[in-house]
Amino acid sequence: MAGLFFDTNVLLYAARTKLEGVDALKRPVALDLIGGHDFSVSGQVLAEFYHNAVKDGPYRLPIEEAEEWLDRIAIQPCVAVDARLVGAGAALARRYQISYWDGAILAAAHHADADLLYTEDLNDGQRYGDVTVINPFKNLPH
């Protein structure tokens, strides 16, 4: 089985219960992914998850619920954000003309030996070195 790495958005769709429209259709896809597969994350993903889960807005999670999800996600292998990872993320951002944050996610996926990165933030099917991006929501209506 290929190594899987999940970006923040997949985890947020799984955790949020009050989604509307097409976002509501993403939740069962995300729940199926995180419930049925071993996967890796990074310190960046954990931090982004918590920040976005509890920030004000219609989909805000109660702090206790966000912390429970954080604990659930953190049992997966987690790539630490250190100086080497930051440098690798910056190099990937420059090479592929993407944001630093997307470059850092790719660097973490590579460090985790993941073949597949599940995210909706990069081009579905595109290979970035030895990591291929999969948008698990690509077949849902827009």
Side-chain angles (χ1 to χ4, degrees):
M1 173 194 251
L4 308 180
F5 191 97
F6 290 165
D7 196 0
T8 309
N9 49 35
V10 173
L11 302 171
L12 283 168
Y13 288 125
R16 291 177 168 160
T17 58
K18 297 178 183 176
L19 297 170
E20 297 175 2
V22 70
D23 288 346
L25 299 176
K26 293 176 181 179
R27 185 164 197 261
V29 173
L31 284 170
D32 184 53
L33 280 172
I34 68 168
H37 299 95
D38 291 329
F39 60 91
S40 298
V41 295
S42 67
Q44 174 188 341
V45 168
L46 292 175
E48 288 178 358
F49 172 85
Y50 184 78
H51 170 77
N52 286 297
V54 301
K55 76 178 180 182
D56 285 339
Y59 305 143
R60 182 183 186 280
L61 291 179
I63 289 174
E64 297 80 12
E65 191 174 332
E67 289 174 348
E68 289 173 12
W69 271 95
L70 198 59
D71 289 343
R72 187 180 310 166
I73 298 164
I75 65 172
Q76 300 297 325
C78 182
V79 175
V81 178
D82 58 14
R84 186 180 68 174
L85 189 75
V86 171
L92 288 169
R94 181 176 29 82
R95 177 178 179 189
Y96 293 109
Q97 298 294 298
I98 56 178
S99 76
Y100 162 76
W101 302 111
D102 289 337
I105 292 294
L106 285 167
H110 174 76
H111 184 77
D113 291 325
D115 302 299
L116 302 174
L117 165 60
Y118 281 80
T119 183
E120 64 180 354
D121 293 339
L122 292 164
N123 296 325
D124 180 63
Q126 184 167 342
R127 287 189 57 80
Y128 296 87
D130 55 359
V131 176
T132 301
V133 169
I134 302 293
N135 179 349
F137 313 114
K138 68 182 174 203
N139 293 324
L140 297 176
H142 297 348

